[in-house]
Amino acid sequence: MLVVEDNIFIALDLEAQLVEMGHDVVGIAATATKAIAMSRQSSPDIAIVDLQLADGSRGQDAAFVLRNEMGIPSVFVSGSLHQVTDDEKEAIRPLAMLSKPLLPNELRRTIEAAASSDLAWKDR
Amino acid sequence: MDEVRHIDLGIFFDAAPNAQLVFTPDLRIVAANQRYCAMLRRQPEDLVGFRVFEVFPPNPDDPNADAEAELQASADAVVATGQAQEMPLRQHDVLEADGRYGTRYWRILNSPVFADASEPERVTHVIHTAEDVTRSVLGERADAAKRRAAMRGADLSYFELDPVSQSLVRSPQLDELFGFEQGETAAEVKPFLDRFHPDDRDAAISEIERVARTIGSDLHLDYRIMLPDGTTRWVTGRGESVRDPGTKAISIVGIVLDVTSIRENEANLSKAVEARDLLIAEVNHRVKNSLQMVTSILNLEANATEDSAARASLRAATARVNSIAAIHASLYEDDDVRSVQIDKYLDKLTRHLRASLESEERRVQITLDVEPIRLPTDKAVTLSLAVNELVTNSFKHAFGKDDDGTVTISLRRSGDDKIVLDVSDDGTGPSFDSLDRSSHSTGLGQRLIAGMASQLGGTIEEDKTSGWRTRISFAE
């Protein structure tokens, strides 16, 4: 798992939630460039991606490269999901789009649903 | 044959359909027919023997009332030529019986009478035939005055375009609108078309051509013009094509209006709306992010602590923040940010509560029974926190870890202006001891519930006859 999130509290919380579910977290990326570099290095199964990242970069841009160049799907977690256009949704095919703030177990249920769905994994 | 020989010819004079007066060349009245007397509301004896302007004095308030000289000149011409003379249409107000003057317009024909058999060439009298044309003159004037007033009032530029000769007759406002000095351009349309914005000119010309092809069709022009000082103005033209019934010539008549300020206002308004929408989206994003930060910090604290009681408290705090956050998310689902569809929100909250129950492998059900109700946002936030506390309380205290059971949330109107929230459970408590349960009522949750009930301006009732029921009633 990779966490792409520029707010350190949120990033650490997401990491803790993922670890508690029994997943390995390969790292925390605060920008789109870092997210792509870390994915190339460690090939996570799924990326948890915020939309508005540090240095003005966009989570969609990272998720697009991860999906189309590395076959890594993303779960968007953002306070402004409406920023994802229909074209981007089609190109990125996110596993889920979760609105901040996350509710208890929302991330867990999403990841479990994704893991049990063959459809979500067929691109891998 | 008596009808031919013995008739007084004066009868014909009285029966004539025209109003007639007979006077001598020096304007002394000799006779007036019935029609004339009726029209001017005079008796023949009021008139005969007097000079015309003795009985019809000029209106002192009419500065142009020099009718006497004109009438005398016309009579002189009749005498000199022996021919009838038509006088130019003119105003001569008539003194009424009450001493006021009535505005009257007259069309006058003065015809010669040769009554002296010894001098058959000499004009002895003048027959003065008078037609009162006041109504039609004033009617036309009123129409023209209305047109002028309408054009002045709206500062309209009126035009009449001949699509064949390309001539353009227009009011001075049109020249001013297009930045021409008065008299700078002749009566042709070309200089005006030259000032159309190049991007708009072809469309405007083809619209004019279209209207010229179909008589009576409406002209709709919206275009920019470029003024010599370099400014651009938005103008709108409205009119229609008409065919002159006499000449059969086609012309397009209409008005042109400067709508630049309207256009600018529209543009400013849509910019302001756009800026407002961006601002709302940004604030919305920041609020959600901040709430996520708060729950993240609470989660991290909960993970870091070894003490299970402290951990539970932090989890409870997270749940409270979440119920506020869910309200916030519901706020932006429609355009109204001042109130919330509370039934939909409670449905959402219930699903989240169910999900967290499942994750704790609890077997308690939650049922929801709510009417569609909109609440002001602050009340909705308070109410949702109250529901969160009450449901959490039931989970904690009504059921054992492996108990079956149901928590029911109900929200409905009561009477005209009351709303009643009921949260009830059918549990008896893990120790089957209601005393044990009531001991929790001094806890933070119970204090919050009491506080929130009073914040809603409502009353709180508890009923523990079967299970546990808490009712909060408040005014809408």
Side-chain angles (χ1 to χ4, degrees):
Chain A
M1 297 277 169
L2 173 69
V3 173
V4 186
E5 165 67 65
D6 62 337
N7 181 295
I8 189 60
F9 292 106
I10 301 172
L12 288 173
D13 177 28
L14 291 173
E15 183 189 46
Q17 289 188 38
L18 291 166
V19 168
E20 203 188 321
M21 289 175 220
H23 299 289
D24 287 332
V25 175
V26 300
I28 293 172
T31 68
T33 317
K34 277 233 179 85
I36 292 164
M38 289 172 90
S39 298
R40 284 198 203 287
Q41 207 175 1
S42 338
S43 300
D45 295 334
I46 296 178
I48 311 298
V49 182
D50 181 30
L51 295 182
Q52 296 183 14
L53 299 173
D55 77 1
S57 60
R58 295 172 358 119
Q60 297 99 301
D61 298 331
F64 179 84
V65 175
L66 264 59
R67 169 63 98 173
N68 292 293
E69 292 181 18
M70 298 170 232
I72 301 168
S74 294
V75 172
F76 285 132
V77 176
S78 170
S80 45
L81 293 170
H82 63 274
Q83 288 180 352
V84 183
T85 65
D86 288 347
D87 287 348
E88 284 172 341
K89 272 181 222 166
E90 203 176 308
I92 296 166
R93 283 166 289 141
L95 294 179
M97 295 178 53
L98 306 180
S99 180
K100 282 181 185 172
L102 289 173
L103 291 149
N105 301 307
E106 200 176 6
L107 187 62
R108 175 194 295 273
R109 272 178 283 125
T110 303
I111 302 273
E112 282 170 2
S116 63
S117 160
D118 289 336
L119 201 70
W121 297 87
K122 71 172 184 198
D123 293 307
R124 305 216 60 241
Chain B
M1 299 306 281
D2 284 353
E3 285 86 344
V4 176
R5 278 185 282 129
H6 300 292
I7 273 186
D8 175 359
L9 296 177
I11 284 177
F12 298 140
F13 180 55
D14 273 338
N18 300 327
Q20 293 180 329
L21 189 68
V22 181
F23 49 74
T24 57
D26 63 352
L27 311 185
R28 189 167 298 278
I29 297 167
V30 176
N33 73 355
Q34 276 183 0
R35 180 94 191 152
Y36 189 92
C37 291
M39 194 169 79
L40 287 137
R41 296 203 187 95
R42 297 289 201 279
Q43 298 300 319
E45 55 269 26
D46 298 335
L47 305 173
V48 173
F50 296 97
R51 300 192 74 239
V52 173
F53 289 93
E54 286 173 343
V55 287
F56 299 117
N59 183 352
D61 293 333
D62 179 1
N64 300 317
D66 55 351
E68 180 165 7
E70 271 180 41
L71 183 61
Q72 186 63 66
S74 174
D76 291 349
V78 171
V79 170
T81 61
Q83 303 285 319
Q85 301 288 322
E86 191 172 348
M87 293 180 67
L89 186 142
R90 74 154 3 266
Q91 180 180 1
H92 182 72
D93 297 344
V94 172
L95 183 60
E96 310 278 2
D98 63 359
R100 297 173 196 278
Y101 282 85
T103 299
R104 304 291 267 275
Y105 285 84
W106 301 100
R107 182 171 290 132
I108 303 288
L109 181 71
N110 292 317
S111 319
V113 176
F114 306 93
D116 187 347
S118 64
E119 286 181 82
E121 303 289 312
R122 184 171 70 87
V123 175
T124 55
H125 301 86
V126 174
I127 299 183
H128 172 90
T129 308
E131 185 188 353
D132 184 345
V133 293
T134 309
R135 188 163 300 199
S136 70
V137 168
L138 290 188
E140 279 170 24
R141 294 223 170 163
D143 287 348
K146 278 182 206 158
R147 274 198 302 276
R148 277 197 305 276
M151 272 162 50
R152 259 201 304 274
D155 203 17
L156 295 180
S157 306
Y158 169 84
F159 70 89
E160 203 173 321
L161 170 66
D162 181 336
V164 179
S165 71
Q166 296 282 299
S167 80
L168 182 71
V169 177
R170 73 276 174 180
S171 64
Q173 288 98 324
L174 193 70
D175 294 65
E176 198 183 322
L177 179 60
F178 275 74
F180 290 116
E181 298 293 325
Q182 292 306 320
E184 187 181 338
T185 57
E188 54 176 349
V189 74
K190 187 172 182 306
F192 288 84
L193 292 178
D194 287 346
R195 291 201 172 164
F196 279 40
H197 192 286
D199 293 348
D200 299 345
R201 191 181 296 133
D202 289 347
I205 289 173
S206 66
E207 169 69 359
I208 290 167
E209 285 168 351
R210 181 189 68 79
V211 173
R213 277 196 298 275
T214 306
I215 310 298
S217 58
D218 289 331
L219 177 77
H220 287 272
L221 287 176
D222 290 290
Y223 56 96
R224 286 159 292 173
I225 52 175
M226 319 264 286
L227 299 185
D229 64 9
T231 58
T232 301
R233 310 287 297 175
W234 275 99
V235 297
T236 187
R238 292 289 182 271
E240 63 183 295
S241 51
V242 291
R243 191 196 287 278
D244 187 299
T247 64
K248 303 290 179 200
I250 293 158
S251 59
I252 299 171
V253 296
I255 52 139
V256 178
L257 201 58
D258 186 332
V259 293
T260 309
S261 59
I262 298 171
R263 287 266 183 170
E264 282 170 354
N265 284 345
E266 278 172 4
N268 288 341
L269 201 60
S270 68
K271 261 188 227 154
V273 168
E274 217 171 279
R276 186 207 61 183
D277 288 350
L278 269 177
L279 194 67
I280 289 176
E282 178 61 22
V283 168
N284 191 12
H285 170 77
R286 281 179 188 277
V287 169
K288 287 183 175 179
N289 228 34
S290 300
L291 286 166
Q292 177 66 64
M293 246 174 87
V294 171
T295 54
S296 286
I297 290 167
L298 291 171
N299 282 342
L300 290 170
E301 294 282 2
N303 289 343
T305 184
E306 299 294 324
D307 178 11
S308 66
R311 186 184 287 235
S313 293
L314 287 164
R315 295 276 183 232
T318 308
R320 286 171 190 138
V321 172
N322 277 330
S323 71
I324 296 169
I327 276 279
H328 184 81
S330 306
L331 266 185
Y332 298 92
E333 283 171 4
D334 55 37
D335 285 338
D336 186 355
V337 295
R338 280 168 302 193
S339 66
V340 174
Q341 194 73 37
I342 190 72
D343 48 304
K344 285 190 186 161
Y345 164 72
L346 286 178
D347 188 48
K348 202 178 290 178
L349 181 70
T350 306
R351 274 187 276 128
H352 294 143
L353 289 168
R354 277 192 198 116
S356 77
L357 273 178
E358 277 165 26
S359 70
E360 290 170 29
E361 293 171 345
R362 296 284 295 262
R363 290 152 67 187
V364 179
Q365 306 289 310
I366 305 175
T367 60
L368 185 64
D369 176 21
V370 287
E371 283 181 25
I373 293 173
R374 274 199 97 86
L375 277 186
T377 305
D378 53 348
K379 278 195 175 167
V381 170
T382 307
L383 188 77
S384 69
L385 283 167
V387 170
N388 182 70
E389 294 303 331
L390 289 167
V391 173
T392 309
N393 244 19
S394 285
F395 286 175
K396 249 193 258 172
H397 306 300
F399 307 105
K401 189 101 181 99
D402 300 317
D403 285 357
D404 289 327
T406 305
V407 178
T408 304
I409 304 166
S410 128
L411 184 74
R412 49 187 64 259
R413 289 174 200 281
S414 162
D416 282 344
D417 56 350
K418 283 254 168 196
I419 294 176
V420 176
L421 169 74
D422 274 317
V423 177
S424 55
D425 64 59
D426 56 2
T428 47
S431 59
F432 304 94
D433 178 1
S434 66
L435 271 177
D436 178 53
R437 199 170 164 185
S438 65
S439 68
H440 290 278
S441 66
T442 52
L444 177 62
Q446 287 297 93
R447 281 174 59 207
L448 283 175
I449 291 164
M452 286 179 292
S454 84
Q455 202 177 320
L456 286 167
T459 57
I460 183 160
E461 289 168 51
E462 287 178 347
D463 173 6
K464 36 195 163 173
T465 45
S466 74
W468 186 272
R469 194 193 66 190
T470 305
R471 165 171 292 185
I472 299 176
S473 318
F474 57 99
E476 194 166 341

